[in-house]
Amino acid sequence: MTDPLDIVIVGGGTAGWMTAAALAATVAGRQARVRLIESDQIGTVGVGEATLPQMKDFNDFVGIQEADMMKATQATFKLGIEFRDWGFTGSSYIHPFGEFGQPMGGVDFIHQWVRARQAGEAQDIETYSYAIQACRQGRFDFPVDDKQEVNSTYAYAYHLDAGLYARYLRGFAEPKGVERIEGRIVDVERDDETGFVTAVKLESGESVGGDYFIDCSGFNSLLFDKTLGVPFEDWSDWLPCDRAVAVPSERVDPMTPYTRSTALEAGWQWRIPLQHRTGNGYVFCSNYISDAEASSRLLENLDSPALADPRVLRFKAGRRACSWQGNCIAVGLSSGFLEPLESTSIYLIQVAIMALTQLFPGRRPDPALVAEFNRLVDYEYDRVRDFLILHYHLNSRDDSALWRRCREMPVPDSLREKMEMFRRRGFVERYRFGLFAPPSWISVYMGQGLLPEGFEPFARNASLATVTDRMRTLAGNIESRVQAMPRHADFVADYCPADLPEAPA
Ligand SMILES: Cc1cc2nc3c(=O)[nH]c(=O)nc-3n(C[C@H](O)[C@H](O)[C@H](O)COP(=O)(O)OP(=O)(O)OC[C@H]3O[C@@H](n4cnc5c(N)ncnc54)[C@H](O)[C@@H]3O)c2cc1C
């Protein structure tokens, strides 16, 4: 029997503990010795509360029980994101985690909708989304499995306290054999010949050696930036926001089953309902507003009293040229950052972890597996980038320089082509894997004012009367089913009530 691999995880934020939990569920103990080093002195980034539906797949893969995790992390459910004032001031649309309508005669719903709309026979596209109607009415229930039923056409994600989630995963990973080492890394040792990292050195003098090092050190990017010098591809020309100010506030009822994102003069504000509090933040571009002004603006906009002082964070949009080099793999903020507009960071952590488990290496890295890992991670980053740019670019706001600049900026060719295909034909590319599915693109295009001029000719195979009749039935069906769902707050209180923190004496 060969010796187990020695894997060292550098950092214990969300990325570090998600990696540890996945390795605990798959290889720790049997095929690998897994150690995680973190420093309480340095701490974690301490934000990150909204997720995507894929997170449930990760938890299921690892073997986490949903209600238990939700109780431990003060979590609520999320069916989508409301975008206020994005296309123009006064507008509101929801990006749902679910379908718009159902295909008719083999033709996607969007084409029938455009056709009916052009004939003056269709209602707003939101009417035909189960997830959106549930959001608008503040309701939640689990989707059913029967694909014939309209309440099978959506998925859900979580709002959670990411710090508590990391703690929860630690409680899961340690009993399964992951060893935690507390300490600050002050030096990294490398092999002269290969350049591979051989050990990290702690302030205490202890040296921790390994076959592989997973860089989960956050914005510090201890291995990828500071040691290996892997170049950072800067995307801030397209995504100019470079700071955020965050502040928690008291819980507000009713508890929305969606995240809210409101466009402001120099960026946008998030609002995320948890069981014990509401998470808030203003993501902004420092060319257009100062830290102090952004903090005051955020505090003015809160819908409940603040529970702490606002905290400013700095970042730059982009990613490293690769996320696996030599015997080091970057997961989380050490590999790149895209602002939290579509809650994609934890998802990108998950992508890297799942790719790593599928391409799990032997004693020496295999160049073919490394190349495939980098390809998988890179294309996910690139697609998320295009989707985020779309939100900024497709606006008709005229109230500030940021929005004018974004509207006029040249966008990547990949995005320009996507927008053109949608405008001409209502066409949205369907990916086999990864983000984002057609309803996501449709919601943002249409929510921000880009409507298709044409539709698939096959849509005419069914008569207009048949199509509009089915659309009416669908809308009625959605309305009555949604009315029967429990209120979101009641569902959470019943399914996963968290212990609320004690009030100060
Ligand atoms: C403003 C903002 C809002 C966000 N909102 C969301 C959101 O809604 N949804 C979402 O999915 N994501 C969000 N994110 C991203 C999310 O916070 C991160 O992706 C996630 O927390 C992972 O961070 P991390 O583990 O990579 O880094 P960190 O949390 O920073 O962890 C880094 C770890 O490395 C350790 N470390 C660093 N240097 C050393 C050293 N020298 N020695 C020892 N240990 C060291 C630290 O102690 C820590 O344990 C947001 C990010 C920002 C900035």
Side-chain angles (χ1 to χ4, degrees):
M1 198 173 128
T2 51
D3 286 343
L5 286 181
D6 229 314
I7 301 180
V8 180
I9 301 171
V10 172
T14 319
W17 283 111
M18 281 178 74
T19 307
L23 295 181
T26 49
V27 293
R30 297 177 292 280
Q31 297 175 49
R33 176 184 189 197
V34 182
R35 285 176 290 173
L36 181 149
I37 305 170
E38 67 178 325
S39 161
D40 285 342
Q41 206 185 334
I42 296 174
T44 65
V45 67
V47 276
E49 296 169 334
T51 66
L52 293 177
Q54 287 81 353
M55 192 180 191
K56 179 166 167 28
D57 301 335
F58 177 81
N59 289 337
D60 289 348
F61 172 78
V62 167
I64 284 170
Q65 210 263 327
E66 181 179 75
D68 191 45
M69 180 282 291
M70 291 186 73
K71 278 181 193 179
T73 59
Q74 299 281 350
T76 66
F77 290 99
K78 173 181 174 189
L79 293 170
I81 306 174
E82 182 195 13
F83 289 92
R84 282 194 181 173
D85 300 336
W86 275 83
F88 58 91
T89 310
S91 63
S92 160
Y93 72 93
I94 289 181
H95 164 194
F97 297 151
E99 302 289 329
F100 287 104
Q102 286 156 332
M104 294 184 200
V107 176
D108 281 345
F109 180 82
I110 179 72
H111 300 286
Q112 297 295 10
W113 182 85
V114 174
R115 181 184 174 208
R117 180 77 171 182
Q118 288 179 355
E121 298 281 347
Q123 296 186 61
D124 190 290
I125 189 93
E126 290 202 347
T127 315
Y128 308 101
S129 162
Y130 194 94
I132 295 181
Q133 293 310 313
C135 286
R136 294 282 184 212
Q137 295 201 29
R139 295 178 186 273
F140 183 80
D141 204 342
F142 291 125
V144 298
D145 289 333
D146 183 351
K147 298 286 171 240
Q148 301 304 313
E149 298 292 337
V150 72
N151 48 345
S152 70
T153 59
Y154 65 99
Y156 64 88
Y158 314 104
H159 300 122
L160 47 74
D161 181 324
L164 294 178
Y165 182 59
R167 197 185 299 168
Y168 181 80
L169 292 176
R170 178 179 166 189
F172 174 87
E174 282 189 305
K176 291 195 159 50
V178 173
E179 299 163 47
R180 174 185 183 270
I181 301 171
E182 164 62 36
R184 186 189 176 97
I185 297 166
V186 289
D187 201 10
V188 180
E189 289 163 11
R190 297 174 72 183
D191 183 280
D192 289 341
E193 219 170 282
T194 61
F196 282 16
V197 169
T198 51
V200 290
K201 232 175 155 187
L202 306 186
E203 210 166 27
S204 63
E206 186 187 349
S207 181
V208 182
D211 298 303
Y212 288 95
F213 291 80
I214 306 188
D215 188 352
C216 299
S217 62
F219 286 133
N220 252 355
S221 197
L222 207 62
L223 303 182
F224 269 70
D225 181 27
K226 304 218 166 60
T227 307
L228 304 175
V230 177
F232 185 81
E233 287 181 18
D234 183 343
W235 291 340
S236 51
D237 271 353
W238 291 311
L239 295 168
C241 287
D242 55 357
R243 291 189 196 177
V245 52
V247 72
S249 66
E250 284 178 12
R251 170 182 165 149
V252 180
D253 288 313
M255 195 163 68
T256 56
Y258 56 88
T259 304
R260 179 174 299 142
S261 162
T262 307
L264 300 174
E265 298 76 13
W268 60 277
Q269 180 175 337
W270 80 73
R271 180 185 179 284
I272 300 174
L274 304 184
Q275 291 190 46
H276 61 323
R277 60 172 166 78
T278 306
N280 310 275
Y282 183 179
V283 174
F284 61 95
C285 175
S286 59
N287 290 342
Y288 300 102
I289 195 169
S290 68
D291 291 3
E293 284 168 321
S295 301
S296 324
R297 184 82 160 93
L298 175 64
L299 291 173
E300 275 162 31
N301 285 349
L302 297 182
D303 55 11
S304 59
L307 294 170
D309 291 330
R311 191 163 66 92
V312 177
L313 299 113
R314 295 170 180 225
F315 49 79
K316 194 188 273 180
R319 68 158 160 77
R320 301 261 154 223
C322 65
S323 295
W324 187 333
Q325 180 167 305
N327 66 337
C328 296
I329 296 129
V331 179
L333 300 174
S334 63
S335 74
F337 182 71
L338 284 164
E339 56 170 271
L341 184 57
E342 284 284 352
S343 322
T344 42
S345 286
I346 291 177
Y347 170 78
L348 290 169
I349 292 172
Q350 179 179 343
V351 165
I353 294 172
M354 298 316 289
L356 178 62
T357 55
Q358 281 160 8
L359 302 168
F360 198 73
R363 180 83 42 203
R364 279 302 200 208
D366 175 333
L369 300 185
V370 172
E372 179 60 5
F373 178 91
N374 284 324
R375 189 187 70 79
L376 290 172
V377 171
D378 288 358
Y379 86 57
E380 291 272 11
Y381 261 101
D382 295 357
R383 283 185 189 163
V384 172
R385 176 200 68 192
D386 281 5
F387 193 53
L388 298 189
I389 296 171
L390 176 68
H391 295 64
Y392 282 96
H393 182 58
L394 200 58
N395 83 82
S396 49
R397 288 179 65 117
D398 216 13
D399 57 325
S400 72
L402 170 74
W403 295 103
R404 281 192 291 275
R405 176 196 179 281
C406 290
R407 187 168 56 243
E408 283 155 19
M409 72 185 170
V411 298
D413 289 346
S414 46
L415 175 58
R416 204 176 34 73
E417 285 155 16
K418 283 187 188 100
M419 290 170 64
E420 193 54 17
M421 291 308 291
F422 187 74
R423 189 178 65 74
R424 285 172 183 245
R425 246 312 161 77
F427 177 82
V428 184
E429 191 183 345
R430 197 177 286 278
Y431 305 133
R432 201 156 151 240
F433 302 109
L435 298 179
F436 276 94
S440 302
W441 288 91
I442 291 170
S443 64
V444 179
Y445 285 140
M446 306 234 309
Q448 297 199 195
L450 180 68
L451 265 70
E453 290 164 2
F455 53 85
E456 265 183 30
F458 302 129
R460 292 194 199 279
N461 287 351
S463 75
L464 185 61
T466 308
V467 168
T468 53
D469 194 43
R470 287 186 63 178
M471 285 170 68
R472 251 192 310 277
T473 307
L474 176 68
N477 206 352
I478 290 176
E479 196 186 346
S480 58
R481 295 287 184 96
V482 168
Q483 293 280 2
M485 291 168 89
R487 301 215 154 269
H488 177 225
D490 296 340
F491 193 95
V492 168
D494 186 48
Y495 179 69
C496 53
D499 293 333
L500 295 180
E502 279 174 32

